[in-house]
Amino acid sequence: MQFKYPELLYALFLLVIPIIVHLFQLRKFQKEEFTNVKFLQRVILQTRKSSQLKKWLTLLSRLLLMACLIIAFAQPFSTANDNATKPQETVIYLDNSFSMQAKGQKGELLKRAIQELLETLPDDEVFTLLTNTDRLKNTTLRESRNEIQEITYEAQSISVNTALIRAKNEFSKTKDVVKNFVAISDFQINDDPFQQTPQEISVNFVQLSPVNKDNLSVDSVYVKDRGINSITLATKISSTGSLSGTLPVALYDGNTLLAKTSVQLEENSTAETVFNIQNPESINGNIRVEDTGLQYDNILYFSINKPDPIKVIAISDADDSYLKKLYKSPEFELITSTTAQLDYNQLNNANCIILNEVLQLPNGLATILNKVTAANGTVIIVPAQEANINSYNSLFNQLGLSPFSELKTQEKQITSIVFAHPIYEGVFDKRIDNFQYPKVQSYFTTTATANKVLGYQDNSSFLEQTGNVYRFTAALNSQNSNFKNAPLIVPTFYNIAKQSLKGGTLYYTINNANNLDVNVALPQDDILKIESENGSFIPLQQNFNSKVQITTNELPELANNYVVKNENQELLKVSYNYSRDESELTYQNISQLENITINNQVSSFFKQMQQDNSITDLWKWFVIFALLFLCIEILLLKFLK
């Protein structure tokens, strides 16, 4: 038993006063003579004994009455534990990631957790509520009931470790305060394992588990084959749990059904199905499946745009017929020119510039090439055998490249390919070690530290990359090299030029750093926006001479098909999807964690927490006892003779 005002207990010492008064209270008796003395002495003795018993009982009842009143004013109480009397701070982390769409015994995990919070928490209890994206600081249920009811699923998910770090920042720095951290989540296995529990914080986990762990999801879609009048799309469908069998998959353009097929799935497996689209100039598409598991991953949006031609300008003092074969319309817009006929205004609008065996580089060319590379354009340099080395090295110096040393006349084979380089992504099914090696008769030496793309047999560079600049170290004319006749030339030049304009991506992932190029020349004050039927937003953008580069990260928030617009003019279709990290319904075993309270229901946890922190007031009982002793005293005085 504890007391709210223990200093009042000192008043119990005052109980000694009635005791002293009682002990020293003296009665004087007057002697009177009677004839029958023996009889009177017996009566006096009986009267004195009865009076003395009555006084002692009355004294005891008064002492107990006063003691109970003093204790009642000190307000005694009892607690379930010692922390109940200390100030409490509570931070609740509510996981609202898409995996909480799974259904428990009473519905979706997140919705049921919200309902139990609203039913269990006292209206006036102060707490801080964290979700994956939002925060309600030092609020009560009475103040924030509507906000809690409106909590929805978010694409952004955080680990419990991150949530605990955020909670530490919410707790005060005051000592002797009980700090409670409550994490309500399904604790997926793709989350980071929980780290050591901080000693100053009481950590409590409420793990919610679904009844059914089966889930079907559309994982990805990509272009498997592209013909003149058709595109073959391949999509991957995944199943988790015991879900298996033949399942339908549908392809839509907006809300119009284009095709329907089926896929054969085994338990915990991934299968692929294909769709063939005829004459696909432009599509705002989506692929859908249906299941009773998570709903967010049942649809995947994608966009197919009519491709804009990539502007390639080749400056040549040698044969450029191989470039005309590589860069054909309508995919590319190739402009060839000699150094004498060069139009510098065209260079500013180019996506890719090729210096094809130029003998003498013009002085002002370096400034334009720097502008092109700064705008994420690409430069390809193929040196001439009889090149003016000084003019080349002057250009290299301004582009941040190492200089050429000398021309060596020695046959060398091109034997190494960096298969992991982006320009060869998807080109080779497997690594090739015994291909027919191209060769050169002469080459320029360099002390390059750039990224090697193709290399000679002595491990030196034949093609190297520095930023957006690709440089060959040997001329490619037929007298010096047979590289133009090798199959390797096609993916090399084709993919370098393709990467100069970032476009053609079927979809982007929300909450990732996404960059896309819109091939349009805008006036300086014009701004692009991204729009759907649900609303629009203005993304981060940078305006270059011939394109606008858009960067998105946290926006948009909803998966959907979108359109990039300049005022009312539609420029580009673009699609965004949620990450599929939440789709696999596998969960951590948190029962082995130490110094953590674990529960599987929100309501039972908070009820137990309230019981552990409950305070039972006892002062009412002492008031009742005081009244009881008062009644006893009255009865003693009235009826005890």
Side-chain angles (χ1 to χ4, degrees):
M1 185 170 65
Q2 303 178 62
F3 297 90
K4 188 174 182 180
Y5 305 109
E7 62 273 10
L8 294 180
L9 294 178
Y10 287 109
L12 291 174
F13 289 112
L14 298 177
L15 296 179
V16 74
I17 296 175
I19 296 175
I20 294 173
V21 172
H22 176 78
L23 293 177
F24 290 93
Q25 185 180 18
L26 302 176
R27 296 269 182 107
K28 294 183 179 180
F29 297 94
Q30 184 179 357
K31 292 184 179 181
E32 294 189 12
E33 301 292 341
F34 290 90
T35 56
N36 196 341
V37 177
K38 183 177 180 180
F39 172 75
L40 289 174
Q41 286 178 346
R42 186 169 61 253
V43 173
I44 291 170
L45 180 61
Q46 292 176 355
T47 303
R48 286 182 177 176
K49 289 182 178 180
S50 176
S51 176
Q52 189 176 13
L53 176 62
K54 180 178 180 179
K55 291 176 182 178
W56 280 109
L57 291 175
T58 302
L59 175 64
L60 179 61
S61 65
R62 288 176 179 172
L63 291 174
L64 293 174
L65 168 63
M66 294 176 64
C68 288
L69 287 175
I70 293 172
I71 294 174
F73 277 106
Q75 294 193 20
F77 61 88
S78 63
T79 60
N81 57 63
D82 295 338
N83 289 334
T85 59
K86 297 180 180 179
Q88 302 273 337
E89 292 182 3
T90 302
V91 176
I92 302 172
Y93 163 63
L94 179 59
D95 181 8
N96 60 334
S97 60
F98 283 117
S99 65
M100 295 285 283
Q101 283 183 342
K103 293 180 175 61
Q105 294 180 348
K106 298 181 180 179
E108 295 181 14
L109 298 181
L110 176 62
K111 293 181 179 179
R112 186 57 192 170
I114 293 173
Q115 186 63 32
E116 292 186 5
L117 277 175
L118 297 175
E119 293 174 352
T120 310
L121 283 174
D123 284 346
D124 57 350
E125 182 174 340
V126 178
F127 62 92
T128 296
L129 179 65
L130 303 176
T131 66
N132 292 334
T133 56
D134 297 317
R135 178 188 71 162
L136 294 173
K137 184 174 178 63
N138 294 336
T139 186
T140 63
L141 204 58
R142 184 180 293 107
E143 297 172 348
S144 57
R145 181 179 295 272
N146 292 336
E147 288 87 343
I148 295 175
Q149 288 176 332
E150 293 172 358
I151 292 175
T152 58
Y153 300 102
E154 294 290 344
Q156 181 177 347
S157 62
I158 62 174
S159 67
V160 179
N161 293 309
T162 303
L164 181 56
I165 293 173
R166 288 174 55 185
K168 287 181 180 178
N169 296 327
E170 301 297 334
F171 288 121
S172 67
K173 306 301 180 182
T174 308
K175 296 182 179 180
D176 296 328
V177 173
V178 179
K179 301 173 182 178
N180 299 305
F181 171 69
V182 184
I184 304 172
S185 174
D186 55 358
F187 296 93
Q188 274 196 303
I189 205 164
N190 59 9
D191 195 0
D192 296 331
F194 187 68
Q195 305 298 326
Q196 187 175 1
T197 306
Q199 296 180 352
E200 70 278 7
I201 299 176
S202 173
V203 178
N204 308 274
F205 285 171
V206 181
Q207 185 174 29
L208 306 179
S209 301
V211 175
N212 187 356
K213 298 181 181 179
D214 297 340
N215 186 48
L216 188 67
S217 67
V218 185
D219 281 353
S220 60
V221 63
Y222 64 95
V223 176
K224 191 171 186 178
D225 189 26
R226 188 186 294 269
I228 299 176
N229 297 314
S230 66
I231 288 180
T232 300
L233 292 178
T235 181
K236 290 185 178 180
I237 312 295
S238 295
S239 71
T240 59
S242 59
L243 198 62
S244 62
T246 302
L247 301 169
V249 185
L251 170 65
Y252 287 81
D253 181 9
N255 293 319
T256 303
L257 179 64
L258 294 182
K260 203 164 189 178
T261 185
S262 61
V263 61
Q264 183 67 35
L265 282 168
E266 304 295 334
E267 296 182 5
N268 294 311
S269 66
T270 300
E272 184 177 280
T273 187
V274 296
F275 295 96
N276 190 267
I277 306 175
Q278 298 296 322
N279 301 317
E281 276 199 2
S282 168
I283 292 178
N284 260 338
N286 62 81
I287 296 173
R288 304 179 192 179
V289 297
E290 293 184 2
D291 75 328
T292 58
L294 305 181
Q295 298 301 304
Y296 88 98
D297 55 4
N298 288 358
I299 181 168
L300 188 140
Y301 299 93
F302 68 92
S303 299
I304 297 177
N305 291 279
K306 184 177 181 180
D308 292 322
I310 298 174
K311 298 177 182 178
V312 180
I313 295 180
I315 306 171
S316 300
D317 286 342
D319 179 27
D320 58 3
S321 58
Y322 72 100
L323 296 177
K324 295 176 181 178
K325 294 178 181 179
L326 289 172
Y327 299 125
K328 291 183 178 180
S329 177
E331 192 171 6
F332 297 95
E333 180 186 335
L334 176 64
I335 299 174
T336 60
S337 172
T338 63
T339 53
Q341 300 172 338
L342 182 60
D343 184 354
Y344 285 90
N345 292 325
Q346 290 181 328
L347 295 179
N348 290 322
N349 297 322
N351 300 120
C352 179
I353 297 176
I354 302 174
L355 303 181
N356 180 41
E357 301 189 34
V358 176
L359 298 176
Q360 176 76 32
L361 294 176
N363 294 328
L365 186 60
T367 303
I368 297 177
L369 295 183
N370 271 320
K371 290 181 179 180
V372 171
T373 56
N376 290 324
T378 303
V379 174
I380 303 174
I381 300 174
V382 181
Q385 284 177 282
E386 300 83 9
N388 184 318
I389 295 297
N390 291 331
S391 68
Y392 270 80
N393 286 340
S394 176
L395 173 67
F396 295 158
N397 181 55
Q398 295 186 59
L399 294 178
L401 305 176
S402 59
F404 281 162
S405 298
E406 59 178 337
L407 179 68
K408 283 195 173 182
T409 305
Q410 177 186 349
E411 183 178 296
K412 266 191 178 183
Q413 289 184 330
I414 304 164
T415 60
S416 65
I417 304 172
V418 180
F419 294 96
H421 196 277
I423 69 171
Y424 296 129
E425 183 177 354
V427 173
F428 301 96
D429 293 331
K430 59 182 180 179
R431 291 180 177 271
I432 301 173
D433 296 324
N434 59 347
F435 62 93
Q436 186 175 1
Y437 301 130
K439 58 186 177 180
V440 299
Q441 302 301 324
S442 62
Y443 60 93
F444 289 96
T445 59
T446 178
T447 58
T449 57
N451 294 326
K452 183 175 66 174
V453 181
L454 297 173
Y456 296 116
Q457 59 200 52
D458 61 357
N459 209 31
S460 59
S461 294
F462 169 66
L463 172 61
E464 59 192 19
Q465 177 195 4
T466 301
N468 291 337
V469 179
Y470 291 82
R471 180 177 69 174
F472 289 87
T473 58
L476 301 184
N477 59 72
S478 302
Q479 292 75 27
N480 189 60
S481 174
N482 62 350
F483 184 73
K484 289 194 296 186
N485 300 323
L488 198 58
I489 191 174
V490 177
T492 301
F493 276 86
Y494 178 87
N495 287 335
I496 291 175
K498 284 289 283 184
Q499 290 187 359
S500 65
L501 181 64
K502 295 180 177 63
T505 302
L506 293 182
Y507 61 90
Y508 299 92
T509 302
I510 294 174
N511 287 325
N512 285 355
N514 302 306
N515 296 317
L516 59 144
D517 293 341
V518 183
N519 201 10
V520 62
L522 285 183
Q524 186 174 2
D525 296 332
D526 283 10
I527 296 176
L528 301 183
K529 63 180 179 179
I530 298 179
E531 184 179 290
S532 74
E533 67 271 14
N534 298 323
S536 63
F537 67 96
I538 297 175
L540 181 66
Q541 53 196 277
Q542 190 172 3
N543 195 349
F544 298 104
N545 290 326
S546 60
K547 66 181 179 181
V548 177
Q549 185 179 75
I550 292 177
T551 302
T552 63
N553 193 335
E554 296 178 356
L555 291 175
E557 296 180 344
L558 299 177
N560 207 340
N561 297 122
Y562 292 82
V563 176
V564 180
K565 285 187 174 182
N566 177 26
E567 295 181 351
N568 294 322
Q569 180 187 3
E570 181 180 312
L571 300 176
L572 185 71
K573 291 180 173 64
V574 61
S575 296
Y576 288 88
N577 290 289
Y578 303 121
S579 170
R580 281 358 190 203
D581 292 341
E582 304 281 320
S583 295
E584 190 171 351
L585 301 183
T586 54
Y587 305 99
Q588 300 181 42
N589 179 14
I590 63 174
S591 60
Q592 306 299 322
L593 298 176
E594 298 180 354
N595 302 321
I596 295 176
T597 302
I598 299 174
N599 209 309
N600 57 10
Q601 286 187 348
V602 176
S603 58
S604 60
F605 168 77
F606 281 102
K607 287 178 181 178
Q608 184 62 45
M609 185 176 178
Q610 290 171 18
Q611 290 177 4
D612 293 342
N613 295 326
S614 63
I615 296 176
T616 305
D617 290 324
L618 303 177
W619 64 270
K620 298 177 182 179
W621 288 102
F622 285 93
V623 171
I624 293 172
F625 290 146
L627 293 174
L628 177 61
F629 290 127
L630 178 61
C631 294
I632 291 174
E633 181 181 353
I634 293 172
L635 293 174
L636 287 174
L637 294 175
K638 186 173 182 180
F639 296 105
L640 186 58
K641 302 297 183 180

